[in-house]
Amino acid sequence: MHSMNSMGLHHTPNPQLAQFFYQQQQQQGSGMNLGPNPMPSMVSPIHQNLNNMNNMANHISSNDNYSSYNINTSVGSNASNIGSGVPLGMQQQQQQQQQQQQQQRNMNQNNTQYEKIFQNILELLDPATREQALAELNKKKDTYEDLAPILWNSFGVMTILLQEIVSIYPYLLSPNITNQLLNRAGCAINLLQCIASHNDTRGLFLRTHILYFLYPFLKTNNRNRSIEYLRKATLFLISSMVKNDNKDAIEFLISSEIIPLFLRILEVGTEAEKNFAIIIIYKILCCDSGLIYICQSINRFRAVEITLKLVLDSLPATQSLPMAKYVIRCYARLAENPKIREILSKYLQGAFNDLTILHIIKDDNNTKRCLSNLLVSLGQAQ
């Protein structure tokens, strides 16, 4: 493994983290060893992670829903003090003191939690405690918004995560991968996903081309359940990276010519893998540069169209609403190109006459409206 500088991974100083590391090193009285990992044993939550990944893929279409915020007013608390004999100014002062005390308690609690994160990072640098540290940081990735910048700017962390991923390569064609190795690599991919989806680190992640280290998990023909877990973790990382139509992320995918891998997954992948892949294809099409890239070459368009048609023809058997929803949206986006619309009007003649497809989307008004508009644009409105 190359050094951090040779890979282009430059870290900005973090005074708070540096001070914490210094204190811990003084207490421990020893330096950090980045030597080979002895791989201590640990119970692997691989099956639980795999089920969670399946559920996430099956319900990914819920991104269209937005949660509401509850606004809590405290008018009654002030009103109840009227006539209590306590001056209004003193009431306000007491409320401010209570708020300050609560803020201080929250700050102390946050400091304690961040100290635990810093301690986990110190343990990550030590091969003897690395496995447990990976698991603990993985648990925190959805709880602490600042975890991604902390990981990115911490010395040695990115190199260690890549070491864990590369260690799996020899097993891509073998069924003998252990749960211990699999769990470590899965945690490493999940932490990279945290970094790739964070607004402050996504651009840095893309510019260093770290994503290329994950492509072997998409290219392998190994259908082993263990490799399937790593493949779905990689697809989830990419889908979370483009979920907000991030132009930089989509243009990176286009430049890396990874689209054929997503099309192959749509043909031979598991249901969860297909759900992730169809969403990524749709997000690429939603970007103007992605639509232009696919439509400017007849061979690229035909590759995408043939795969989408396979998905469409499989819907009566799979009864998959996410697949139906996104394949219709993909066709609708392609039809916005005048030349492609003319071609689709011939290729898709009668393709949506199957009542099974209409039954699948009967409760999804947005998808029904999208299909209706697509048929109108193709001159096939009924």
Side-chain angles (χ1 to χ4, degrees):
M1 179 60 63
H2 298 292
S3 65
M4 297 294 290
N5 289 336
S6 64
M7 292 175 52
L9 303 181
H10 301 287
H11 301 299
T12 58
N14 188 324
Q16 184 181 7
L17 183 59
Q19 178 64 22
F20 183 81
F21 284 174
Y22 176 77
Q23 293 174 354
Q24 292 296 318
Q25 291 177 7
Q26 290 297 314
Q27 294 175 6
Q28 295 173 2
S30 63
M32 294 301 164
N33 179 15
L34 295 178
N37 196 332
M39 302 178 183
S41 60
M42 188 182 81
V43 177
S44 169
I46 174 63
H47 299 298
Q48 180 180 355
N49 290 341
L50 189 57
N51 292 332
N52 292 341
M53 201 80 68
N54 288 334
N55 295 334
M56 194 176 304
N58 291 332
H59 299 286
I60 197 74
S61 58
S62 64
N63 287 339
D64 292 340
N65 300 325
Y66 296 91
S67 59
S68 59
Y69 295 89
N70 295 323
I71 300 177
N72 182 25
T73 59
S74 57
V75 174
S77 62
N78 288 333
S80 63
N81 288 329
I82 297 178
S84 63
V86 181
L88 182 60
M90 186 175 295
Q91 295 175 18
Q92 294 176 344
Q93 185 177 3
Q94 292 175 349
Q95 291 177 355
Q96 291 177 354
Q97 290 177 349
Q98 292 174 356
Q99 292 175 356
Q100 292 174 355
Q101 292 173 356
Q102 183 61 41
Q103 291 175 355
Q104 185 63 41
R105 285 193 294 268
N106 292 339
M107 185 179 300
N108 293 337
Q109 184 177 3
N110 288 337
N111 289 339
T112 301
Q113 295 299 327
Y114 280 108
E115 287 178 0
K116 292 180 180 179
I117 292 177
F118 297 152
Q119 182 61 40
N120 291 149
I121 292 175
L122 281 173
E123 294 167 350
L124 189 66
L125 299 175
D126 185 352
T129 56
R130 184 172 299 165
E131 185 173 355
Q132 183 63 34
L134 281 168
E136 291 299 324
L137 288 170
N138 187 50
K139 293 177 183 178
K140 296 178 172 68
K141 72 180 184 68
D142 295 324
T143 306
Y144 298 96
E145 295 181 359
D146 297 332
L147 180 59
I150 291 174
L151 292 174
W152 182 265
N153 290 291
S154 297
F155 173 78
V157 169
M158 299 307 298
T159 297
I160 290 171
L161 296 182
L162 293 181
Q163 284 177 345
E164 295 297 327
I165 291 170
V166 172
S167 67
I168 296 295
Y169 288 178
Y171 300 91
L172 289 179
L173 300 178
S174 170
N176 298 325
I177 183 173
T178 65
N179 281 347
Q180 183 185 43
L181 283 174
L182 182 65
N183 187 60
R184 291 167 67 115
C187 288
I189 295 176
N190 289 338
L191 292 176
L192 288 181
Q193 182 270 327
C194 172
I195 293 169
S197 60
H198 195 283
N199 290 334
D200 293 341
T201 52
R202 183 189 298 112
L204 298 168
F205 178 84
L206 291 173
R207 285 197 291 273
T208 54
H209 292 189
I210 291 176
L211 192 59
Y212 285 138
F213 285 85
L214 302 180
Y215 282 8
F217 301 133
L218 303 181
K219 292 180 179 180
T220 180
N221 293 321
N222 190 340
R223 309 311 301 177
N224 182 278
R225 185 174 174 85
S226 299
I227 302 301
E228 174 192 335
Y229 164 66
L230 298 179
R231 186 162 41 244
K232 281 191 286 193
T234 300
L235 288 168
F236 175 61
L237 182 153
I238 297 173
S239 65
S240 65
M241 199 169 62
V242 302
K243 68 178 180 180
N244 294 323
D245 300 330
N246 184 272
K247 185 177 180 180
D248 292 338
I250 292 171
E251 291 185 346
F252 176 86
L253 295 178
I254 294 172
S255 66
S256 65
E257 299 183 352
I258 194 179
I259 294 177
L261 292 180
F262 298 139
L263 297 179
R264 188 166 69 105
I265 290 171
L266 280 175
E267 294 177 4
V268 300
T270 64
E271 180 182 358
E273 292 171 355
K274 290 179 179 180
N275 285 342
F276 284 127
I278 191 70
I279 292 171
I280 296 170
I281 291 292
Y282 172 67
K283 290 298 184 180
I284 291 174
L285 286 170
C286 284
C287 182
D288 290 340
S289 58
L291 181 64
I292 293 172
Y293 174 79
I294 290 176
C295 294
Q296 71 181 1
S297 166
I298 189 63
N299 291 332
R300 287 193 203 116
F301 162 71
R302 286 291 292 150
V304 173
E305 194 279 329
I306 290 173
T307 304
L308 291 178
K309 188 63 165 57
L310 289 174
V311 174
L312 185 64
D313 292 341
S314 69
L315 287 177
T318 63
Q319 297 284 308
S320 172
L321 175 59
M323 296 299 289
K325 170 181 176 179
Y326 282 103
V327 75
I328 290 172
R329 292 185 180 188
C330 285
Y331 275 126
R333 178 60 175 160
L334 285 169
E336 294 182 19
N337 182 290
K339 293 182 179 179
I340 298 302
R341 182 166 60 245
E342 183 178 351
I343 298 174
L344 288 177
S345 64
K346 299 177 182 179
Y347 287 164
L348 296 179
Q349 190 70 37
F352 293 98
N353 292 339
D354 192 328
L355 296 179
T356 305
I357 297 176
L358 299 179
H359 177 74
I360 294 173
I361 64 174
K362 63 183 177 66
D363 296 325
D364 191 328
N365 293 329
N366 290 333
T367 302
K368 289 193 295 184
R369 190 179 305 110
C370 182
L371 177 59
S372 176
N373 293 338
L374 172 62
L375 295 177
V376 169
S377 67
L378 299 179
Q380 300 180 18
Q382 299 177 350

